[in-house]
Amino acid sequence: MKTYIIFGPPGAGKGTQASLIVEKYNLLHISTGELLRSEIRSGSELGKRAAELIDKGCLVPDEDVESMISAKYDQNKDVDGFLLDGFPRTVAQAEVLERMLERRGESVTGVISLMIPDETVKERIRHRAMVENRIDDTKDEIIENRIHEYHSKTEPVADYYKAEGKYIEIDGVGSIEDVFAKICEIL
Ligand code: ADP
């Protein structure tokens, strides 16, 4: 079973590209952001804890996202693999993922990183705020905090996979089709 990770700052286009990739390669898209928003809508305890943090632009606790990810792996046995979007977002999460896959006799296949500058991140998130109804997209202060969380906690995840030779970076600025074509070349 393959496990790909789509990586990059908030607003890099991970979700958009992930939808195209999973369709073409018969993978299951696991988006921690989407899973968390669905927990929030359901009013679960996890959802309540997550809502407070997400609305401040902070990350939710590692344990909460980890349990959602392993549940998805257990529930889906008839796909060719998984595409993780929004996970791992910390080095601790990357280590947990490695142990989880090891127990299944598997490992991360590759990491595709979409790179865009911070200024583009802000423009895209402001645009998304008009299209989707996400509180964490509307306030500059929250967006700044998410970018800060990304640089301090998530960027080190890239080094983790670079050290394993599993990290490929592509330019995320360009049309949806152009970026997707570059991803397909790699896959
Ligand atoms: P974006 O990629 O635009 O940041 P997401 O939908 O992936 O949006 O995530 C929204 C929010 O959900 C994040 O800002 C964070 O608070 C929370 N979140 C998502 N994935 C994780 C994760 N792996 N660990 C901790 N928090 C997460």
Side-chain angles (χ1 to χ4, degrees), residues 8-11 14 31-34 36-37 53-54 57-62 65 85-90 93 125 128 134 136-137 146:
K14 300 187 292 286
S31 157
T32 44
E34 287 300 329
L36 288 167
R37 283 187 285 279
L53 293 161
I54 292 176
C58 300
L59 295 182
V60 308
D62 288 342
V65 274
D85 163 9
F87 181 89
R89 235 177 172 103
T90 62
Q93 289 178 10
I125 291 182
R128 188 167 66 186
R134 279 179 53 172
D136 62 338
D137 279 348
R146 284 161 64 200

Side-chain angles (χ1 to χ4, degrees):
M1 200 80 102
K2 292 186 158 66
T3 289
Y4 291 104
I5 296 166
I6 184 129
F7 185 83
K14 300 187 292 286
T16 307
Q17 294 298 333
S19 309
L20 299 170
I21 297 168
V22 293
E23 199 185 331
K24 181 161 178 182
Y25 297 95
N26 189 33
L27 305 171
L28 183 81
H29 181 192
I30 307 181
S31 157
T32 44
E34 287 300 329
L35 290 173
L36 288 167
R37 283 187 285 279
S38 122
E39 289 288 337
I40 295 171
R41 283 193 298 274
S42 78
S44 69
E45 284 307 314
L46 192 162
K48 284 180 199 154
R49 278 200 298 279
E52 262 188 53
L53 293 161
I54 292 176
D55 293 352
K56 287 189 205 135
C58 300
L59 295 182
V60 308
D62 288 342
E63 306 76 62
D64 285 340
V65 274
E66 287 154 18
S67 66
M68 296 189 314
I69 295 277
S70 65
K72 281 283 168 196
Y73 268 77
D74 291 338
Q75 290 156 5
N76 295 278
K77 311 263 185 216
D78 54 353
V79 287
D80 292 338
F82 299 89
L83 178 65
L84 306 182
D85 163 9
F87 181 89
R89 235 177 172 103
T90 62
V91 171
Q93 289 178 10
E95 287 164 354
V96 165
L97 176 64
E98 187 167 329
R99 286 195 293 274
M100 187 191 100
L101 292 175
E102 239 166 43
R103 282 196 294 276
R104 294 165 192 266
E106 291 167 16
S107 62
V108 168
T109 314
V111 179
I112 299 156
S113 173
L114 296 178
M115 270 306 124
I116 64 166
D118 287 356
E119 272 319 302
T120 317
V121 169
K122 289 182 205 162
E123 278 164 29
R124 289 198 187 172
I125 291 182
R126 278 194 207 103
H127 173 75
R128 188 167 66 186
M130 292 187 280
V131 185
E132 293 173 28
N133 199 12
R134 279 179 53 172
I135 298 171
D136 62 338
D137 279 348
T138 47
K139 287 209 190 96
D140 284 351
E141 209 178 293
I142 303 176
I143 298 170
E144 291 291 351
N145 198 38
R146 284 161 64 200
I147 295 174
H148 176 262
E149 291 273 78
Y150 171 76
H151 287 305
S152 64
K153 297 182 185 156
T154 308
E155 248 171 15
V157 174
D159 298 326
Y160 181 94
Y161 289 112
K162 272 180 204 165
E164 295 191 353
K166 291 184 173 170
Y167 178 91
I168 296 182
E169 199 165 279
I170 62 174
D171 185 0
V173 185
S175 73
I176 292 174
E177 295 75 22
D178 287 350
V179 174
F180 184 54
K182 284 186 240 168
I183 294 176
C184 291
E185 266 173 44
I186 293 166
L187 289 176

